[in-house]
Amino acid sequence: QVHSLQELRRSASLATKVFVQRDYSDGTTCQFQTKFPPELESRIERQLFEETVKTLNSFYAEAEKIGGSSYLEGCLACATAYFIFLCMETHYEKVLKKISKYIQEQNEKIYAPRGLLLTDPLERGMRVIEISIYEDRCSSGSSSSGSSSSSSGGGAG
Amino acid sequence: MTPGGGSGPMKDCEYSQISTHSSSSPMESPHKKKKSAPRRKWEVFPGRNKFFCDGRIMMARQTGVFYLTLVLILVTSGLFFAFDCPYLSEKITPAIPAIGGILFFFVMGTLLRTSFSDPGVLPRATPDEAADLERQIDIANGSSSGGYRPPPRTKEVIINGQTVKLKYCFTCKIFRPPRASHCSLCDNCVERFDHHCPWVGNCVGKRNYRFFYMFILSLSFLTVFIFAFVITHVILRSQQTGFLNALKDSPARYPFTETNCRSQAVVCFFSVWSIVGLSGFHTYLISSNQTTNEDIKGSWSNKRGKENYNPYSYGNIFTNCCAALCGPLSPSLIDRRGFIQPDTPQLAGPSNGITMYGATQSQSNMCDQDQCIQSTKFVLQAAATPLLQSEPSITSEELPLPGKTISGPCATLTLGQPTPPSSMPNLTSDTGLTDMIPLKEEHEGHQFLTPEEAPSPPGMLPSGSPITHSHTMHVLSLASQDSLHEDSVRGLVKLSSV
């Protein structure tokens, strides 16, 4: 029952989506909640999921880090009246590329084989990590119907 | 067109239409549709913004005052360089036009950056997200809310020991992150919203605050510079030849000197006070890490209570300044120049608080016959699944949501069809469908047909026109829903037989 990413989209039907919301307890920096959504209980090991979210959080922390190199970049940009942004890629953008690679790799190795798909938060305005839960077409009726009516959901109430 | 209060059997006739024109009907749409060029996301952006240069430049809708700003700066600086600089560079030092030039360049650069860039607009929630949030809110609230507009929703979060309330934005269907605010002029939620500045023709938010600050700072220097040297020019000239004589001599060699000097001096005089004042104010804001919005509301002032402090401040002025001006620049979240993917749902125009999912299929013109047939078979299979399990939970999910049409399975069947199946006589066809399509997403547990898999009816994009009608008011009862399910499956069976 191993799916590759492309196969997943074609052969499986989307059952539901789970949203991992932002964790604002540290301010406005981009962090996601590591709380394990109940819908994924049967689909993936808790530890793997938490590992993914923690790694993503660390990537975002790195991107938004205020330190020597970011100051240098900021001052240089200011000195050139910000024209330098026309030709240079910012540190944040570089990290975002790393993140997107990481997500793709996670999808291929871990999530797709379990019938799940992570969406890059950048595509969702950095609001949520969207996890699509797919049901295998062949196995009709064996749908777990991931989100139950009384699910408290992944996000904080 | 079905009359109001459409019921199951009526729908069958309409469904059969899909089967015969599965590929052609989506093509025939009331909307103009580009067959060849894929569209970029800025063309369907739901906010009230203007875009130029194929999405590279983004501004607010009203830009008249921005042009005034440009004219004032250009004319005053132009006069300065043309008439004062030659004299001053001779008399005092050529460094004056040089410095003036650098300042001018800086001012223009930062002004254009501020005006043309994305202030930090938060994209609106996708239908899935919005539905998920609604679900959670309803669970949290416990019961269905009465009235058309549910009570304001808030979430509390503790940031650095301070309790911050996050508000739910009805237009964007998201809980606003801390410090974000919805700009009513641009109809967007903007991160770290400072204010909407008509002088730059854009909102000032997280992504362009530093440009804005550098703009007003450099403009203060420029106005003071020009003012000082215009006065110097007049004084020097008057010392040289006597003031009145200077003006008398002028017409031949220095045309309109009097007017020049006067106009420059006047503009600069008024600008100096206002702009220098504004720079000072923003310097204060930056050093205390507050936004104009927060300062005006007094969110973190001591007057609210002794325990009230700013949780975002880093503690010292230097770090606050560095963070605001030299911190990392986050990228634009709205991806203006990206192409609309066929499987990405787009959001409709401003919904102004009406609970409506204006999402639609991407208007991609690629609706293959294969794709349509495959999808309809898919729909059949998926729709068959709900009947195998009892779904009492549907009502608890969907009925409490006011103003939403509850016809999940039926919605899927109307894809590609211009007229909505259920009773919505007031609707224009396109908006009806745009409403219908995403509703199936709410059908909890069974998102059997998502925009990713469905054929995209390209004509369903409302192209930014405000959608303000009441088509979402129909709420079906449980009993009729069951019959709807059965009817819809019957209809699907017909489809698949094609």
PDB file of all heavy atoms in Angstrom, chain B residues 122-151:
ATOM      1  N   LEU B 122      -2.215  39.275   4.378  1.00  0.00           N
ATOM      2  CA  LEU B 122      -2.465  37.864   4.661  1.00  0.00           C
ATOM      3  C   LEU B 122      -3.474  37.342   3.662  1.00  0.00           C
ATOM      4  O   LEU B 122      -4.553  37.922   3.514  1.00  0.00           O
ATOM      5  CB  LEU B 122      -3.044  37.700   6.066  1.00  0.00           C
ATOM      6  CG  LEU B 122      -2.079  37.915   7.217  1.00  0.00           C
ATOM      7  CD1 LEU B 122      -2.843  38.009   8.516  1.00  0.00           C
ATOM      8  CD2 LEU B 122      -1.079  36.787   7.276  1.00  0.00           C
ATOM      9  N   PRO B 123      -3.129  36.279   2.974  1.00  0.00           N
ATOM     10  CA  PRO B 123      -4.105  35.746   2.024  1.00  0.00           C
ATOM     11  C   PRO B 123      -5.314  35.189   2.764  1.00  0.00           C
ATOM     12  O   PRO B 123      -5.197  34.736   3.899  1.00  0.00           O
ATOM     13  CB  PRO B 123      -3.339  34.631   1.313  1.00  0.00           C
ATOM     14  CG  PRO B 123      -2.196  34.306   2.185  1.00  0.00           C
ATOM     15  CD  PRO B 123      -1.905  35.476   3.040  1.00  0.00           C
ATOM     16  N   ARG B 124      -6.433  35.225   2.102  1.00  0.00           N
ATOM     17  CA  ARG B 124      -7.654  34.749   2.761  1.00  0.00           C
ATOM     18  C   ARG B 124      -7.624  33.236   2.890  1.00  0.00           C
ATOM     19  O   ARG B 124      -6.925  32.545   2.153  1.00  0.00           O
ATOM     20  CB  ARG B 124      -8.868  35.191   1.945  1.00  0.00           C
ATOM     21  CG  ARG B 124      -8.910  36.681   1.889  1.00  0.00           C
ATOM     22  CD  ARG B 124     -10.183  37.205   1.390  1.00  0.00           C
ATOM     23  NE  ARG B 124     -10.106  38.662   1.295  1.00  0.00           N
ATOM     24  CZ  ARG B 124     -11.094  39.424   0.928  1.00  0.00           C
ATOM     25  NH1 ARG B 124     -12.236  38.881   0.596  1.00  0.00           N
ATOM     26  NH2 ARG B 124     -10.944  40.731   0.875  1.00  0.00           N
ATOM     27  N   ALA B 125      -8.404  32.763   3.820  1.00  0.00           N
ATOM     28  CA  ALA B 125      -8.389  31.327   4.093  1.00  0.00           C
ATOM     29  C   ALA B 125      -8.992  30.550   2.936  1.00  0.00           C
ATOM     30  O   ALA B 125      -9.931  30.991   2.289  1.00  0.00           O
ATOM     31  CB  ALA B 125      -9.187  31.035   5.362  1.00  0.00           C
ATOM     32  N   THR B 126      -8.413  29.398   2.696  1.00  0.00           N
ATOM     33  CA  THR B 126      -9.020  28.512   1.701  1.00  0.00           C
ATOM     34  C   THR B 126     -10.315  27.966   2.297  1.00  0.00           C
ATOM     35  O   THR B 126     -10.479  27.963   3.517  1.00  0.00           O
ATOM     36  CB  THR B 126      -8.086  27.340   1.382  1.00  0.00           C
ATOM     37  OG1 THR B 126      -7.766  26.664   2.599  1.00  0.00           O
ATOM     38  CG2 THR B 126      -6.807  27.836   0.735  1.00  0.00           C
ATOM     39  N   PRO B 127     -11.208  27.495   1.475  1.00  0.00           N
ATOM     40  CA  PRO B 127     -12.488  26.992   1.993  1.00  0.00           C
ATOM     41  C   PRO B 127     -12.319  25.899   3.039  1.00  0.00           C
ATOM     42  O   PRO B 127     -13.056  25.867   4.026  1.00  0.00           O
ATOM     43  CB  PRO B 127     -13.185  26.444   0.754  1.00  0.00           C
ATOM     44  CG  PRO B 127     -12.539  27.091  -0.381  1.00  0.00           C
ATOM     45  CD  PRO B 127     -11.153  27.466   0.026  1.00  0.00           C
ATOM     46  N   ASP B 128     -11.320  25.037   2.826  1.00  0.00           N
ATOM     47  CA  ASP B 128     -11.097  23.967   3.805  1.00  0.00           C
ATOM     48  C   ASP B 128     -10.743  24.518   5.169  1.00  0.00           C
ATOM     49  O   ASP B 128     -11.268  24.095   6.194  1.00  0.00           O
ATOM     50  CB  ASP B 128      -9.944  23.060   3.343  1.00  0.00           C
ATOM     51  CG  ASP B 128     -10.242  22.401   2.023  1.00  0.00           C
ATOM     52  OD1 ASP B 128     -11.423  22.069   1.813  1.00  0.00           O
ATOM     53  OD2 ASP B 128      -9.307  22.225   1.237  1.00  0.00           O
ATOM     54  N   GLU B 129      -9.831  25.441   5.145  1.00  0.00           N
ATOM     55  CA  GLU B 129      -9.409  26.049   6.410  1.00  0.00           C
ATOM     56  C   GLU B 129     -10.563  26.730   7.106  1.00  0.00           C
ATOM     57  O   GLU B 129     -10.746  26.604   8.304  1.00  0.00           O
ATOM     58  CB  GLU B 129      -8.369  27.139   6.138  1.00  0.00           C
ATOM     59  CG  GLU B 129      -6.956  26.680   5.999  1.00  0.00           C
ATOM     60  CD  GLU B 129      -6.086  27.881   5.710  1.00  0.00           C
ATOM     61  OE1 GLU B 129      -5.928  28.696   6.614  1.00  0.00           O
ATOM     62  OE2 GLU B 129      -5.613  27.991   4.571  1.00  0.00           O
ATOM     63  N   ALA B 130     -11.304  27.492   6.311  1.00  0.00           N
ATOM     64  CA  ALA B 130     -12.410  28.242   6.889  1.00  0.00           C
ATOM     65  C   ALA B 130     -13.429  27.299   7.504  1.00  0.00           C
ATOM     66  O   ALA B 130     -13.941  27.546   8.606  1.00  0.00           O
ATOM     67  CB  ALA B 130     -13.053  29.115   5.818  1.00  0.00           C
ATOM     68  N   ALA B 131     -13.687  26.210   6.792  1.00  0.00           N
ATOM     69  CA  ALA B 131     -14.648  25.247   7.315  1.00  0.00           C
ATOM     70  C   ALA B 131     -14.144  24.628   8.601  1.00  0.00           C
ATOM     71  O   ALA B 131     -14.886  24.462   9.569  1.00  0.00           O
ATOM     72  CB  ALA B 131     -14.895  24.154   6.275  1.00  0.00           C
ATOM     73  N   ASP B 132     -12.875  24.307   8.608  1.00  0.00           N
ATOM     74  CA  ASP B 132     -12.285  23.706   9.800  1.00  0.00           C
ATOM     75  C   ASP B 132     -12.375  24.661  10.987  1.00  0.00           C
ATOM     76  O   ASP B 132     -12.731  24.282  12.093  1.00  0.00           O
ATOM     77  CB  ASP B 132     -10.822  23.362   9.499  1.00  0.00           C
ATOM     78  CG  ASP B 132     -10.178  22.568  10.611  1.00  0.00           C
ATOM     79  OD1 ASP B 132     -10.571  21.401  10.799  1.00  0.00           O
ATOM     80  OD2 ASP B 132      -9.303  23.110  11.301  1.00  0.00           O
ATOM     81  N   LEU B 133     -12.082  25.908  10.734  1.00  0.00           N
ATOM     82  CA  LEU B 133     -12.163  26.910  11.800  1.00  0.00           C
ATOM     83  C   LEU B 133     -13.582  27.062  12.307  1.00  0.00           C
ATOM     84  O   LEU B 133     -13.829  27.130  13.509  1.00  0.00           O
ATOM     85  CB  LEU B 133     -11.678  28.265  11.286  1.00  0.00           C
ATOM     86  CG  LEU B 133     -10.193  28.564  11.404  1.00  0.00           C
ATOM     87  CD1 LEU B 133      -9.928  29.958  10.902  1.00  0.00           C
ATOM     88  CD2 LEU B 133      -9.735  28.435  12.830  1.00  0.00           C
ATOM     89  N   GLU B 134     -14.508  27.117  11.357  1.00  0.00           N
ATOM     90  CA  GLU B 134     -15.917  27.252  11.741  1.00  0.00           C
ATOM     91  C   GLU B 134     -16.333  26.118  12.649  1.00  0.00           C
ATOM     92  O   GLU B 134     -17.013  26.307  13.648  1.00  0.00           O
ATOM     93  CB  GLU B 134     -16.798  27.228  10.491  1.00  0.00           C
ATOM     94  CG  GLU B 134     -16.650  28.418   9.595  1.00  0.00           C
ATOM     95  CD  GLU B 134     -17.679  29.488   9.895  1.00  0.00           C
ATOM     96  OE1 GLU B 134     -18.570  29.226  10.731  1.00  0.00           O
ATOM     97  OE2 GLU B 134     -17.580  30.565   9.334  1.00  0.00           O
ATOM     98  N   ARG B 135     -15.888  24.936  12.279  1.00  0.00           N
ATOM     99  CA  ARG B 135     -16.221  23.745  13.057  1.00  0.00           C
ATOM    100  C   ARG B 135     -15.709  23.886  14.470  1.00  0.00           C
ATOM    101  O   ARG B 135     -16.415  23.647  15.435  1.00  0.00           O
ATOM    102  CB  ARG B 135     -15.570  22.527  12.396  1.00  0.00           C
ATOM    103  CG  ARG B 135     -16.462  21.352  12.378  1.00  0.00           C
ATOM    104  CD  ARG B 135     -15.956  20.155  11.633  1.00  0.00           C
ATOM    105  NE  ARG B 135     -14.600  20.130  11.229  1.00  0.00           N
ATOM    106  CZ  ARG B 135     -14.200  20.120   9.961  1.00  0.00           C
ATOM    107  NH1 ARG B 135     -15.094  20.184   8.991  1.00  0.00           N
ATOM    108  NH2 ARG B 135     -12.944  20.048   9.651  1.00  0.00           N
ATOM    109  N   GLN B 136     -14.478  24.307  14.571  1.00  0.00           N
ATOM    110  CA  GLN B 136     -13.879  24.417  15.893  1.00  0.00           C
ATOM    111  C   GLN B 136     -14.556  25.496  16.719  1.00  0.00           C
ATOM    112  O   GLN B 136     -14.754  25.344  17.916  1.00  0.00           O
ATOM    113  CB  GLN B 136     -12.401  24.738  15.773  1.00  0.00           C
ATOM    114  CG  GLN B 136     -11.594  23.545  15.332  1.00  0.00           C
ATOM    115  CD  GLN B 136     -10.183  23.962  14.997  1.00  0.00           C
ATOM    116  OE1 GLN B 136      -9.681  24.922  15.567  1.00  0.00           O
ATOM    117  NE2 GLN B 136      -9.556  23.260  14.097  1.00  0.00           N
ATOM    118  N   ILE B 137     -14.895  26.554  16.054  1.00  0.00           N
ATOM    119  CA  ILE B 137     -15.561  27.642  16.774  1.00  0.00           C
ATOM    120  C   ILE B 137     -16.916  27.189  17.275  1.00  0.00           C
ATOM    121  O   ILE B 137     -17.302  27.465  18.406  1.00  0.00           O
ATOM    122  CB  ILE B 137     -15.716  28.878  15.873  1.00  0.00           C
ATOM    123  CG1 ILE B 137     -14.352  29.489  15.604  1.00  0.00           C
ATOM    124  CG2 ILE B 137     -16.618  29.905  16.517  1.00  0.00           C
ATOM    125  CD1 ILE B 137     -14.376  30.468  14.473  1.00  0.00           C
ATOM    126  N   ASP B 138     -17.634  26.481  16.432  1.00  0.00           N
ATOM    127  CA  ASP B 138     -18.958  26.026  16.840  1.00  0.00           C
ATOM    128  C   ASP B 138     -18.876  25.036  17.979  1.00  0.00           C
ATOM    129  O   ASP B 138     -19.692  25.035  18.888  1.00  0.00           O
ATOM    130  CB  ASP B 138     -19.681  25.401  15.647  1.00  0.00           C
ATOM    131  CG  ASP B 138     -20.117  26.468  14.668  1.00  0.00           C
ATOM    132  OD1 ASP B 138     -20.298  27.621  15.106  1.00  0.00           O
ATOM    133  OD2 ASP B 138     -20.261  26.150  13.472  1.00  0.00           O
ATOM    134  N   ILE B 139     -17.862  24.210  17.922  1.00  0.00           N
ATOM    135  CA  ILE B 139     -17.681  23.271  19.027  1.00  0.00           C
ATOM    136  C   ILE B 139     -17.368  24.043  20.294  1.00  0.00           C
ATOM    137  O   ILE B 139     -17.885  23.764  21.373  1.00  0.00           O
ATOM    138  CB  ILE B 139     -16.548  22.279  18.700  1.00  0.00           C
ATOM    139  CG1 ILE B 139     -16.993  21.322  17.608  1.00  0.00           C
ATOM    140  CG2 ILE B 139     -16.135  21.500  19.939  1.00  0.00           C
ATOM    141  CD1 ILE B 139     -15.877  20.556  16.968  1.00  0.00           C
ATOM    142  N   ALA B 140     -16.523  25.038  20.127  1.00  0.00           N
ATOM    143  CA  ALA B 140     -16.149  25.822  21.300  1.00  0.00           C
ATOM    144  C   ALA B 140     -17.341  26.590  21.850  1.00  0.00           C
ATOM    145  O   ALA B 140     -17.533  26.694  23.052  1.00  0.00           O
ATOM    146  CB  ALA B 140     -15.012  26.776  20.949  1.00  0.00           C
ATOM    147  N   ASN B 141     -18.143  27.116  20.941  1.00  0.00           N
ATOM    148  CA  ASN B 141     -19.302  27.888  21.394  1.00  0.00           C
ATOM    149  C   ASN B 141     -20.406  27.017  21.933  1.00  0.00           C
ATOM    150  O   ASN B 141     -21.242  27.449  22.699  1.00  0.00           O
ATOM    151  CB  ASN B 141     -19.855  28.732  20.238  1.00  0.00           C
ATOM    152  CG  ASN B 141     -18.976  29.930  19.966  1.00  0.00           C
ATOM    153  OD1 ASN B 141     -18.134  30.274  20.767  1.00  0.00           O
ATOM    154  ND2 ASN B 141     -19.185  30.557  18.835  1.00  0.00           N
ATOM    155  N   GLY B 142     -20.455  25.809  21.454  1.00  0.00           N
ATOM    156  CA  GLY B 142     -21.417  24.863  22.008  1.00  0.00           C
ATOM    157  C   GLY B 142     -22.712  24.759  21.242  1.00  0.00           C
ATOM    158  O   GLY B 142     -23.204  23.688  20.967  1.00  0.00           O
ATOM    159  N   SER B 143     -23.268  25.876  20.901  1.00  0.00           N
ATOM    160  CA  SER B 143     -24.570  25.786  20.240  1.00  0.00           C
ATOM    161  C   SER B 143     -24.577  26.639  18.998  1.00  0.00           C
ATOM    162  O   SER B 143     -23.681  27.441  18.780  1.00  0.00           O
ATOM    163  CB  SER B 143     -25.655  26.262  21.194  1.00  0.00           C
ATOM    164  OG  SER B 143     -25.375  27.598  21.537  1.00  0.00           O
ATOM    165  N   SER B 144     -25.604  26.428  18.217  1.00  0.00           N
ATOM    166  CA  SER B 144     -25.664  27.219  16.999  1.00  0.00           C
ATOM    167  C   SER B 144     -26.016  28.653  17.353  1.00  0.00           C
ATOM    168  O   SER B 144     -26.838  28.928  18.216  1.00  0.00           O
ATOM    169  CB  SER B 144     -26.724  26.650  16.068  1.00  0.00           C
ATOM    170  OG  SER B 144     -27.984  26.794  16.667  1.00  0.00           O
ATOM    171  N   SER B 145     -25.385  29.535  16.704  1.00  0.00           N
ATOM    172  CA  SER B 145     -25.629  30.938  17.022  1.00  0.00           C
ATOM    173  C   SER B 145     -26.832  31.437  16.253  1.00  0.00           C
ATOM    174  O   SER B 145     -27.052  31.064  15.109  1.00  0.00           O
ATOM    175  CB  SER B 145     -24.403  31.761  16.669  1.00  0.00           C
ATOM    176  OG  SER B 145     -23.903  31.331  15.437  1.00  0.00           O
ATOM    177  N   GLY B 146     -27.599  32.240  16.890  1.00  0.00           N
ATOM    178  CA  GLY B 146     -28.781  32.771  16.220  1.00  0.00           C
ATOM    179  C   GLY B 146     -28.435  33.989  15.395  1.00  0.00           C
ATOM    180  O   GLY B 146     -27.435  34.633  15.630  1.00  0.00           O
ATOM    181  N   GLY B 147     -29.266  34.266  14.461  1.00  0.00           N
ATOM    182  CA  GLY B 147     -29.027  35.468  13.682  1.00  0.00           C
ATOM    183  C   GLY B 147     -28.115  35.220  12.506  1.00  0.00           C
ATOM    184  O   GLY B 147     -27.438  34.209  12.405  1.00  0.00           O
ATOM    185  N   TYR B 148     -28.131  36.155  11.637  1.00  0.00           N
ATOM    186  CA  TYR B 148     -27.388  36.004  10.404  1.00  0.00           C
ATOM    187  C   TYR B 148     -25.882  36.072  10.658  1.00  0.00           C
ATOM    188  O   TYR B 148     -25.101  35.317  10.113  1.00  0.00           O
ATOM    189  CB  TYR B 148     -27.812  37.121   9.458  1.00  0.00           C
ATOM    190  CG  TYR B 148     -27.163  37.046   8.108  1.00  0.00           C
ATOM    191  CD1 TYR B 148     -27.264  35.894   7.356  1.00  0.00           C
ATOM    192  CD2 TYR B 148     -26.468  38.119   7.584  1.00  0.00           C
ATOM    193  CE1 TYR B 148     -26.684  35.823   6.116  1.00  0.00           C
ATOM    194  CE2 TYR B 148     -25.888  38.044   6.339  1.00  0.00           C
ATOM    195  CZ  TYR B 148     -26.001  36.900   5.612  1.00  0.00           C
ATOM    196  OH  TYR B 148     -25.422  36.832   4.383  1.00  0.00           O
ATOM    197  N   ARG B 149     -25.510  36.958  11.495  1.00  0.00           N
ATOM    198  CA  ARG B 149     -24.085  37.118  11.749  1.00  0.00           C
ATOM    199  C   ARG B 149     -23.763  36.629  13.147  1.00  0.00           C
ATOM    200  O   ARG B 149     -24.254  37.161  14.126  1.00  0.00           O
ATOM    201  CB  ARG B 149     -23.715  38.583  11.633  1.00  0.00           C
ATOM    202  CG  ARG B 149     -22.215  38.782  11.743  1.00  0.00           C
ATOM    203  CD  ARG B 149     -21.869  40.123  11.202  1.00  0.00           C
ATOM    204  NE  ARG B 149     -20.497  40.477  11.497  1.00  0.00           N
ATOM    205  CZ  ARG B 149     -19.718  41.169  10.676  1.00  0.00           C
ATOM    206  NH1 ARG B 149     -20.189  41.551   9.522  1.00  0.00           N
ATOM    207  NH2 ARG B 149     -18.506  41.457  11.004  1.00  0.00           N
ATOM    208  N   PRO B 150     -22.939  35.628  13.244  1.00  0.00           N
ATOM    209  CA  PRO B 150     -22.613  35.093  14.562  1.00  0.00           C
ATOM    210  C   PRO B 150     -21.902  36.155  15.391  1.00  0.00           C
ATOM    211  O   PRO B 150     -21.329  37.085  14.847  1.00  0.00           O
ATOM    212  CB  PRO B 150     -21.667  33.937  14.268  1.00  0.00           C
ATOM    213  CG  PRO B 150     -21.762  33.691  12.814  1.00  0.00           C
ATOM    214  CD  PRO B 150     -22.239  34.937  12.176  1.00  0.00           C
ATOM    215  N   PRO B 151     -21.916  35.991  16.694  1.00  0.00           N
ATOM    216  CA  PRO B 151     -21.242  36.975  17.541  1.00  0.00           C
ATOM    217  C   PRO B 151     -19.754  36.982  17.240  1.00  0.00           C
ATOM    218  O   PRO B 151     -19.218  35.991  16.758  1.00  0.00           O
ATOM    219  CB  PRO B 151     -21.520  36.481  18.965  1.00  0.00           C
ATOM    220  CG  PRO B 151     -21.931  35.078  18.826  1.00  0.00           C
ATOM    221  CD  PRO B 151     -22.560  34.948  17.485  1.00  0.00           C
TER     222      PRO B 151
END
